[in-house]
Amino acid sequence: MPSFDIVSKTDVHEVDNAISGVRREIETRFDFKGSKCTIERTENEIVLLADDATKLEQMQELLRVYVTRRKLDAAALDFSAKPERAAGDALRQAVTIKQGIAQDLAKTIVKGIKDSKMKVQVSIQGDELRVTGKKRDDLQDAIALVKRLGIEQPLQYQNFRD
């Protein structure tokens, strides 16, 4: 039976390369001279440390640009955490790298496919979804439907089998 998997994975090696690019730019830019701005990654979290709000916003924009240059989707970065005060007047913000499909998002995708009355079955398998159907065309229609749902997290469609 034809099937494919819907996953959401971000290549952390490319994220590391983007972070290295941001570090180089911070070291060379005139407006960052003498500042104590840093960027570090631990597991699935990037920590931005900036002297003030303006520099923090510039670092966020630099991170988005460098991630996009590395052919990753900037939507894989979650900037929703509020900046918090650090030592002195510095600001710290944690940026989460989205990995896997959360249960509530998976249920939304399953509901969207089931409501469309397509002849496919969707099953949640941990942090990914498996879609199976009798015809290859039905699976391609399911991919098009999921893309139209307007999900804010980057999704990949893998293991397309006939």
Side-chain angles (χ1 to χ4, degrees), residues 44-60:
N44 288 332
E45 187 174 81
I46 301 169
V47 177
L48 303 174
L49 185 68
D51 293 343
D52 54 43
T54 307
K55 286 191 174 68
L56 183 65
E57 289 173 14
Q58 290 173 345
M59 288 177 67
Q60 291 171 351

Side-chain angles (χ1 to χ4, degrees), residues 80-161:
S80 63
K82 295 231 185 308
E84 56 190 39
R85 289 273 172 219
D89 288 335
L91 291 173
R92 178 186 300 125
Q93 182 178 22
V95 180
T96 308
I97 302 169
K98 296 178 184 176
Q99 294 280 29
I101 300 174
Q103 286 295 325
D104 56 336
L105 181 61
K107 289 177 183 176
T108 303
I109 294 171
V110 169
K111 184 178 184 316
I113 292 175
K114 289 193 186 274
D115 288 348
S116 71
K117 306 282 191 222
M118 295 180 120
K119 295 182 181 178
V120 295
Q121 293 79 39
V122 185
S123 61
I124 300 173
Q125 297 180 340
D127 61 352
E128 58 185 52
L129 299 171
R130 164 98 15 112
V131 181
T132 57
K134 291 185 179 174
K135 294 184 195 167
R136 183 179 195 164
D137 292 340
D138 293 339
L139 296 180
Q140 291 172 340
D141 292 341
I143 290 174
L145 175 76
V146 171
K147 287 181 179 179
R148 283 194 310 266
L149 287 177
I151 295 167
E152 295 177 11
Q153 185 169 347
L155 298 174
Q156 294 88 33
Y157 307 96
Q158 299 178 339
N159 299 335
F160 199 97
R161 298 191 181 114

Side-chain angles (χ1 to χ4, degrees), residues 9-64:
K9 294 185 179 165
T10 306
D11 187 1
V12 290
H13 297 297
E14 290 297 330
V15 172
D16 284 340
N17 291 336
I19 289 172
S20 296
V22 172
R23 278 192 194 118
R24 281 191 305 274
E25 182 138 350
I26 288 172
E27 290 171 4
T28 58
R29 274 181 49 169
F30 180 75
D31 53 345
F32 281 102
K33 288 282 188 219
S35 68
K36 295 178 181 70
C37 297
T38 61
I39 181 170
E40 295 177 9
R41 183 183 73 84
T42 57
E43 293 298 316
N44 288 332
E45 187 174 81
I46 301 169
V47 177
L48 303 174
L49 185 68
D51 293 343
D52 54 43
T54 307
K55 286 191 174 68
L56 183 65
E57 289 173 14
Q58 290 173 345
M59 288 177 67
Q60 291 171 351
E61 190 58 34
L62 281 173
L63 184 59
R64 285 186 187 101

